[in-house]
Amino acid sequence: MRLLEERIKKDGQVLGQDVLKVDNFLNHQVDPDLMAAMGEEFQRLFKDKKITKILTVESSGIAPAVFAGLSFHVPVVFARKHKSLTLQDNMYSATVYSYTKKVNNHISISKKFLNADDRVLVIDDFLANGQAVEGLLSIIEEAGAQLEGVGIIIEKTFQKGRELLDQRGIQVESLARIAAFEDGQVVFLDENK
Amino acid sequence: MRLLEERIKKDGQVLGQDVLKVDNFLNHQVDPDLMAAMGEEFQRLFKDKKITKILTVESSGIAPAVFAGLSFHVPVVFARKHKSLTLQDNMYSATVYSYTKKVNNHISISKKFLNADDRVLVIDDFLANGQAVEGLLSIIEEAGAQLEGVGIIIEKTFQKGRELLDQRGIQVESLARIAAFEDGQVVFLDENK
């Protein structure tokens, strides 16, 4: 998505070897007009699927997910994060390892909001090692719901998340695909072609 | 806002004396179309203010805030919550007591995203004792920014948050104002007139 790539070039900050900071339009300060455009793009990319529900993880997944939800006119459920694993009968839960913070987080979703009739689109801000998405997929499986696809804003193609999802035959659509960081600059996948 | 009051009557769950659970359309599962309508309503209510920025607190403030942001076409900043108070030079921070969880949370916002030129609208999902809003107001004051108003989805008028804000002469607009819970039912303020 050209608009997003331009914004990353303009406002993204590359830190070290593999961190891209986009806190001025995506995950601390949010640009709602850009978010709405991305929501419409997700709808275009997955329009042939009969999506009934959108799933994400708090906090930075919420903004992109609710705008995707607006375009599809379906409910959005966001998993809550916890420090400790508190299993409850009325919750689906999963453990998610954070490579950035080197801790296990636990995520959960009320059983009321996901069931076997649901056709689910997972939305998240970043795809790196794929841990958060894997956690949501395990919850979808536990609920017996149907995963229809994964929509990502920024994918770091050089980390293993995409490969893990491809191996499982999942349709993954990323609005910006980063091939590498070179000299503090972002190189997108299509620029390498 | 009639649409919201009807939804609360239909889907809200009153627990005990003073808790209203609205997790099926507001703060766990989100109805994006209702959220978008509420964003437009906030724009209508504060249209005479020259809002440059919207401020909220993660996580359940994010969805209403980004839709308000879409209606105003201004950036939305959400404060991050922490367990511990870690003062950093580049962050504004405040301490927020949670009556529900009986703990102090700390919230912070990067100094990059709020400054003395900003005219700020604060958005949050609930107004009860007003602690979260007070925390944001202290951050706005620290930044030297101008507070233009506070937009709330659901106000519990029988708790002290509204009074605290009224005493300071702040324009507060709540889309649903709850007067009381009676026999497990919600009574709105205008129903009492």
Side-chain angles (χ1 to χ4, degrees), chain B residues 112-124:
Chain B
K112 287 188 291 184
F113 303 132
L114 193 63
N115 62 58
D117 297 330
D118 277 317
R119 305 169 72 106
V120 182
L121 174 62
V122 166
I123 297 281
D124 209 0

Side-chain angles (χ1 to χ4, degrees), chain A residues 129-148:
Chain A
N129 289 297
Q131 296 298 296
V133 171
E134 291 281 341
L136 289 175
L137 300 199
S138 105
I139 282 175
I140 291 166
E141 202 170 325
E142 196 185 345
Q146 176 74 31
L147 173 71
E148 294 291 347

Side-chain angles (χ1 to χ4, degrees), chain B residues 181-193:
Chain B
F181 299 124
E182 286 175 5
D183 306 321
Q185 297 298 309
V186 176
V187 181
F188 293 105
L189 202 63
D190 49 4
E191 294 179 305
N192 276 354
K193 278 174 192 168

Side-chain angles (χ1 to χ4, degrees), chain A residues 27 30 58-59 73 76 80, chain B residues 27 30 33 58-59 76 80:
Chain A
N27 47 22
V30 173
E58 67 177 358
S59 287
H73 302 290
V76 176
R80 295 282 191 179
Chain B
N27 47 24
V30 173
D33 289 285
E58 67 177 358
S59 287
V76 175
R80 295 282 191 178

Side-chain angles (χ1 to χ4, degrees), chain B residues 69-92:
Chain B
L70 185 67
S71 292
F72 280 101
H73 302 290
V74 301
V76 175
V77 180
F78 58 90
R80 295 282 191 178
K81 272 183 200 159
H82 318 263
K83 286 274 173 248
S84 57
L85 181 62
T86 47
L87 286 173
Q88 285 182 281
D89 279 352
N90 53 349
M91 308 289 277
Y92 301 117

